[in-house]
């Protein structure tokens, strides 16, 4: 959790509106063009200010002109960060609106988003990774294997950590896994179903950095 997500976690988002805005991103290809870095994160931190797609596009134009950046590179980078951030904020709200889930009271703690039945977690929505050389069927029956892969191959920037995490993994039959991050109503159904049957004894216990990490996967398949 960063200072921006901490601020928005204090607000109540209109999830229907957020979904409608995220879906306006879908016609454009999901391409980064460059690795995520702190430098380019700083260029594009305006994405936290605008849940509106139209407004964030205007901010992209202004930033491109102000810093003399390549328009396509800036668009791809900012659009992806914006899309992932507002989807994540919606997902966090979905969790914290469920009975038995308590939002993190320490908004400076980027490692904890909420407490679920006495266990602290952060959450991350991840697309089913193309580089993970196994099938969906295999992954659904070998959570531990995919979880180790996800921890090992996570971003090396601000969100990297080795603590308890619940992964929401999206998988689309047409291969456009990333687009399911915009399907907030679908994600809500999947999360609510998971929490309603949550059993801490079934969490995967991973050995990372000489300690035990508790983790699990919530599947969003369409």
């Amino acid at each position: 959790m960063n200072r921006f997500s901490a601020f928005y976690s204090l607000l109540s988002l209109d999830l229907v509106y957020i979904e409608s805005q995220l879906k306006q991103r879908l016609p454009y290809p999901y391409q980064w063009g460059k690795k995520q870095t702190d430098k380019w994160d700083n260029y594009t931190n305006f994405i936290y200010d605008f849940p509106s797609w139209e407004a964030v596009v205007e901010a992209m134009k202004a930033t491109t002109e102000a810093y003399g950046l390549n328009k396509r590179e800036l668009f791809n980078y900012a659009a992806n960060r914006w899309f992932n951030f507002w989807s994540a904020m919606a997902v966090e709200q979905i969790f914290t609106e469920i009975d038995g889930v308590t939002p993190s009271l320490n908004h400076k703690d980027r490692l904890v988003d909420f407490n679920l039945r006495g266990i602290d977690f952060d959450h991350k929505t991840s697309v089913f990774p193309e580089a993970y050389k196994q099938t969906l069927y295999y992954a659904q029956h070998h959570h531990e294997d995919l979880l180790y892969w996800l921890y090992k191959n996570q971003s090396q920037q601000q969100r990297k950590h080795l603590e308890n995490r619940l992964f929401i993994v999206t998988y689309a039959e047409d291969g456009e896994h990333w687009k399911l991050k915009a399907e907030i109503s679908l994600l809500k159904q999947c999360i609510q179903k998971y929490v309603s049957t949550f059993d801490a004894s079934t969490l995967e216990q991973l050995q990372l950095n000489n300690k035990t990490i508790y983790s699990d996967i919530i599947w969003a398949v369409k």
Side-chain angles (χ1 to χ4, degrees), residues 1-221:
M1 178 183 292
N2 58 38
R3 64 187 177 91
F4 300 100
S5 56
F7 171 75
Y8 284 107
S9 69
L10 298 174
L11 305 178
S12 180
L13 302 177
D14 181 339
L15 297 184
V16 174
Y17 174 77
I18 295 297
E19 180 166 344
S20 71
Q21 296 306 298
L22 292 173
K23 287 184 174 180
Q24 292 187 49
R25 163 72 181 86
L26 301 185
Y28 306 94
Y30 189 89
Q31 301 170 340
W32 280 94
K34 59 171 65 264
K35 288 186 177 181
Q36 192 168 358
T37 65
D38 290 341
K39 179 180 179 180
W40 273 75
D41 282 357
N42 289 333
Y43 279 141
T44 56
N45 276 341
F46 58 80
I47 62 102
Y48 299 117
D49 298 328
F50 306 106
S52 161
W53 172 248
E54 182 178 349
V56 83
V57 169
E58 288 301 314
M60 293 179 200
K61 295 177 182 177
T63 301
T64 298
E65 294 174 1
Y67 294 98
L69 302 173
N70 179 279
K71 292 181 180 180
R72 178 53 55 187
E73 287 185 350
L74 190 282
F75 176 87
N76 288 341
Y77 199 97
N80 293 348
R81 290 193 72 213
W82 174 87
F83 184 78
N84 291 332
F85 173 76
W86 287 102
S87 177
M89 288 300 94
V91 166
E92 183 171 336
Q93 180 166 308
I94 290 167
F95 271 109
T96 57
E97 287 179 344
I98 301 174
D99 289 342
V101 180
T102 305
S104 173
L105 298 178
N106 181 3
H107 296 300
K108 294 182 180 180
D109 186 354
R110 70 180 184 87
L111 303 181
V112 177
D113 291 332
F114 51 79
N115 183 287
L116 172 56
R117 310 280 166 78
I119 303 175
D120 289 335
F121 289 101
D122 97 327
H123 72 90
K124 181 175 176 59
T125 306
S126 298
V127 301
F128 189 79
E130 182 179 353
Y132 178 67
K133 302 302 183 182
Q134 298 291 348
T135 64
L136 173 65
Y137 179 85
Y138 179 90
Q140 288 180 317
H141 292 82
H142 298 84
H143 278 195
E144 183 182 60
D145 187 66
L146 177 55
L147 286 169
Y148 272 118
W149 191 97
L150 290 169
Y151 273 102
K152 179 180 178 181
N153 292 277
Q154 66 182 301
S155 168
Q156 300 301 302
Q157 301 301 318
Q158 296 175 3
R159 287 286 283 174
K160 180 181 180 180
H161 76 80
L162 299 174
E163 302 293 340
N164 298 344
R165 173 174 276 178
L166 292 178
F167 288 90
I168 300 91
V169 176
T170 62
Y171 184 96
E173 296 294 340
D174 63 3
E176 298 275 27
H177 310 317
W178 69 276
K179 291 185 176 181
L180 294 189
K181 288 186 177 184
E183 299 280 351
I184 302 303
S185 54
L186 171 66
L187 299 180
K188 184 174 183 177
Q189 293 174 11
C190 298
I191 292 167
Q192 288 178 331
K193 180 179 179 180
Y194 176 85
V195 173
S196 70
T197 60
F198 178 76
D199 181 352
S201 68
T202 65
L203 290 169
E204 299 292 344
Q205 299 184 36
L206 311 180
Q207 300 304 312
L208 295 167
N209 226 20
N210 298 316
K211 62 181 178 181
T212 301
I213 305 300
Y214 294 92
S215 187
D216 206 356
I217 297 173
I218 301 171
W219 292 99
V221 179

